[in-house]
Amino acid sequence: MGNSEAATVQSVDRALTILEVLARLGTAGVTEIAAELDVHKSTAFRLVSTLETHRLVEQAGDRGRYSLGVGLLRLAGATTARLDLVQEARPITRQLAADTGETVNITVRAEHAALYLDQVAGSSALQSHNWVGQHIPLHATSNGKVLLSELTPEELADVIGSLARFTPATITRKAQLREELERIREQGYALAVDELEVGLTAVAAPIRNAHGDIIASISVSGPTFRLSDERLDTVIEQCLAAAEEISHRLGWGLRQ
Amino acid sequence: MGNSEAATVQSVDRALTILEVLARLGTAGVTEIAAELDVHKSTAFRLVSTLETHRLVEQAGDRGRYSLGVGLLRLAGATTARLDLVQEARPITRQLAADTGETVNITVRAEHAALYLDQVAGSSALQSHNWVGQHIPLHATSNGKVLLSELTPEELADVIGSLARFTPATITRKAQLREELERIREQGYALAVDELEVGLTAVAAPIRNAHGDIIASISVSGPTFRLSDERLDTVIEQCLAAAEEISHRLGWGLRQ
DNA sequence: CCTCACTGTTGCCCATGGCGCAACACTAGG
DNA sequence: CCTAGTGTTGCGCCATGGGCAACAGTGAGG
């Protein structure tokens, strides 16, 4: 999409231009906006009205003068929270990948799935695929299970639909998942062996915010043959330490 | 605009819904977005494309997956900076209005005009009109002159067009304005007597950010008969003290 | 290697929804 | 009161937004 002339919708373009005008001027009336866009004021009014319905624009002070609205802050907030997390965590995910030699991933929950925010490959990592921006199933991954582990039963019921099977080892019954989540809460980390893919093992630990809520998960994943029992204990400890460090950076533990 | 059914543009509505979808899901492809909107994927693609042209959406990681973009942060940033300023300044503007009994205003520069961000009326204030959200001429007001006072000559030439006359006392020659701005730089505040309206006197002082740049102005205004010479000195001191306090709250003076 | 399934992207044409016009409602100032 | 200016609403026309179909690209599996 390097071509700025391609495939744009004129009325949408105009509406977005209104946002830019309001950022510049602070406030503007319909007639002023119409002049900026070189359209009739009834057109400007309809476009502003639509923006207002979505809270991207609101009426400032007196009736009829418009300014940018709180809906923008909300949308931007979703973005900055994730950018901040990746930035704060990056040196630690780098170190963890270097220490383990495996692939390190950070995920957050996005409704019914886990979303990959960041990925750092270790020296032994065989897969070169970049998962950033992609969704993974919550119930079949270590990261996903961490993200589910402290939800209330109501929240869990809301988030989890049918438990799709990916391998013979995938958890597909809700009672089994609940037991697994209980185990994760007790031991403080999640393990997934061959549950998403045969031959893939992953360990994940929770990243917490200043309030102690789980907001993300960090995992170390590699081929099952390399993450065998004797090595796994070390990797679990390293993963837990990394999660704890990131959590501290996000303010966890400072208010207790 | 209490009526959410009125006067909306369908394609704009769809585009804004895409923003909300992306805030929820983190990332999504065109086909996913089309399903969320219940439109054909070519329609979804064009809408996303338009959002991308304005940087509100960008491609996340792999080609073809979209997430919210930095353009959103920019738009939101314009809003939050102003909200922060009003919030930080509010207790001080309240106190100043109580101390002086006059009307206190905070303005920022919005291109070629000064924009009222906040207003607190004192006990003696006769005018009940709320100016928040409105633009005022830079050259004919104490606030406006403060906002102009530290611009470079090139910036000043860019910002100032013709100097409209509002009263016989309005500054209408550029040489005269330059002298006035020099005086303001020296004394640290601006005075406007009968320049916008006959019978209206206002004092304004600069609000500075952590870097020392003037980012806003705070004024005390009232009828000329009340802001006479002997009283004006007190009001000027109070206004300067308020501006300094707000500036400190915004980080001014902490790095010297 | 090939094939298939899926996704994103482009071009065309038509009908629908976005637009301008005109009227109305409201406000402030004289 | 009137006037000038602004925001808001309803109507009908036509331009542009939308769906269809084709194409391009990618990844997985055989």
Side-chain angles (χ1 to χ4, degrees):
Chain A
M1 271 311 303
N3 187 3
S4 59
E5 298 289 343
T8 60
V9 180
Q10 188 179 57
S11 53
V12 174
D13 187 66
R14 283 174 174 161
L16 301 181
T17 300
I18 290 173
L19 294 178
E20 286 153 19
V21 168
L22 291 178
R24 262 200 296 121
L25 298 182
T27 70
V30 168
T31 305
E32 225 170 320
I33 289 167
E36 289 275 338
L37 295 185
D38 198 26
V39 297
H40 191 269
K41 61 179 180 172
S42 69
T43 297
F45 178 75
R46 270 192 296 264
L47 294 171
V48 165
S49 215
T50 309
L51 289 166
E52 193 176 12
T53 297
H54 285 265
R55 308 301 302 276
L56 297 195
V57 161
E58 60 200 19
Q59 302 208 29
D62 291 351
R63 190 184 121 264
R65 293 199 69 79
Y66 296 90
S67 64
L68 296 177
V70 300
L72 261 182
L73 303 189
R74 262 197 236 115
L75 288 174
T79 306
T80 58
R82 286 176 182 157
L83 287 176
D84 286 347
L85 171 60
V86 172
Q87 197 172 350
E88 287 294 338
R90 184 43 87 85
I92 298 161
T93 50
R94 276 233 174 85
Q95 188 63 49
L96 185 59
D99 291 345
T100 58
E102 306 295 354
T103 299
V104 175
N105 281 287
I106 298 223
T107 60
V108 293
R109 188 161 68 85
E111 291 209 310
H112 307 286
L115 170 67
Y116 277 98
L117 286 193
D118 200 19
Q119 174 170 329
V120 183
S123 55
S124 314
L126 296 177
Q127 63 171 165
S128 59
H129 185 64
N130 186 3
W131 293 97
V132 172
Q134 305 220 36
H135 292 98
I136 51 167
L138 286 165
H139 70 282
T141 57
S142 62
N143 274 318
K145 289 188 290 187
V146 162
L147 294 171
L148 293 174
S149 66
E150 290 182 10
L151 296 186
T152 65
E154 295 77 38
E155 284 168 335
L156 188 62
D158 190 41
V159 170
I160 291 295
S162 56
L163 305 183
R165 179 184 296 275
F166 300 96
T167 72
T170 311
I171 294 172
T172 56
R173 287 185 309 107
K174 292 193 180 171
Q176 192 185 1
L177 180 63
R178 282 194 292 266
E179 287 173 14
E180 172 74 354
L181 298 184
E182 174 65 28
R183 192 177 304 123
I184 291 165
R185 287 196 289 274
E186 286 171 5
Q187 62 195 14
Y189 66 88
L191 185 62
V193 183
D194 301 337
E195 284 167 57
L196 183 66
E197 273 177 64
V198 175
L200 179 68
T201 290
V203 181
I207 296 174
R208 297 177 189 274
N209 66 12
H211 299 106
D213 305 321
I214 297 179
I215 61 162
S217 176
I218 183 169
S219 68
V220 180
S221 59
T224 301
F225 77 81
R226 259 200 332 245
L227 293 173
S228 53
D229 282 352
E230 59 261 29
R231 185 157 176 249
L232 208 44
D233 284 344
T234 306
V235 169
I236 288 166
E237 292 303 326
Q238 289 168 315
C239 189
L240 281 164
E244 191 171 323
E245 175 62 31
I246 295 167
S247 300
H248 285 309
R249 289 189 177 205
L250 301 182
W252 183 64
L254 294 181
R255 307 195 184 187
Q256 301 182 0
Chain B
M1 268 312 300
N3 186 1
S4 60
E5 298 290 344
T8 60
V9 180
Q10 187 179 60
S11 53
V12 174
D13 187 64
R14 285 175 173 161
L16 301 181
T17 300
I18 290 172
L19 295 179
E20 287 152 19
V21 168
L22 292 178
R24 261 201 294 123
L25 299 182
T27 70
V30 168
T31 305
E32 228 171 319
I33 289 168
E36 290 274 339
L37 295 186
D38 199 25
V39 296
H40 191 269
K41 62 180 181 171
S42 69
T43 299
F45 178 74
R46 270 192 297 262
L47 294 171
V48 165
S49 215
T50 310
L51 290 166
E52 193 175 11
T53 297
H54 286 265
R55 307 300 304 272
L56 298 195
V57 161
E58 62 201 18
Q59 302 210 26
D62 290 353
R63 192 185 122 265
R65 293 197 70 80
Y66 296 90
S67 66
L68 296 177
V70 300
L72 260 182
L73 303 187
R74 265 199 235 113
L75 288 174
T79 305
T80 58
R82 286 175 182 160
L83 287 176
D84 286 347
L85 171 60
V86 172
Q87 197 172 352
E88 288 293 337
R90 185 40 91 80
I92 299 163
T93 50
R94 276 232 174 85
Q95 188 64 46
L96 185 58
D99 291 347
T100 59
E102 305 296 354
T103 299
V104 174
N105 281 286
I106 298 222
T107 59
V108 293
R109 187 162 67 85
E111 290 209 313
H112 305 288
L115 169 67
Y116 277 98
L117 286 192
D118 199 19
Q119 173 171 328
V120 183
S123 55
S124 313
L126 296 178
Q127 63 172 165
S128 59
H129 186 64
N130 186 4
W131 292 98
V132 173
Q134 304 219 38
H135 292 98
I136 52 166
L138 286 163
H139 70 284
T141 57
S142 62
N143 275 317
K145 289 189 290 186
V146 163
L147 295 171
L148 293 174
S149 66
E150 289 182 12
L151 296 187
T152 65
E154 295 78 38
E155 285 169 332
L156 189 62
D158 190 42
V159 170
I160 291 296
S162 58
L163 305 183
R165 180 182 295 274
F166 300 95
T167 73
T170 311
I171 294 171
T172 56
R173 287 187 307 111
K174 292 192 180 172
Q176 192 188 357
L177 180 61
R178 282 194 292 268
E179 286 173 16
E180 172 72 353
L181 299 183
E182 174 64 28
R183 193 176 304 122
I184 291 165
R185 288 195 290 274
E186 285 171 6
Q187 65 196 12
Y189 66 88
L191 186 62
V193 183
D194 300 337
E195 285 167 58
L196 183 65
E197 273 178 63
V198 174
L200 178 68
T201 290
V203 181
I207 296 174
R208 296 178 189 275
N209 67 12
H211 299 105
D213 305 320
I214 296 179
I215 59 161
S217 175
I218 183 168
S219 68
V220 180
S221 59
T224 301
F225 75 82
R226 262 203 325 251
L227 292 173
S228 55
D229 281 351
E230 58 259 31
R231 181 150 180 258
L232 210 42
D233 285 343
T234 305
V235 169
I236 287 165
E237 293 303 327
Q238 289 168 315
C239 190
L240 282 164
E244 192 172 324
E245 174 62 32
I246 295 168
S247 300
H248 285 308
R249 289 189 177 205
L250 300 182
W252 183 64
L254 294 181
R255 307 198 180 182
Q256 301 184 0

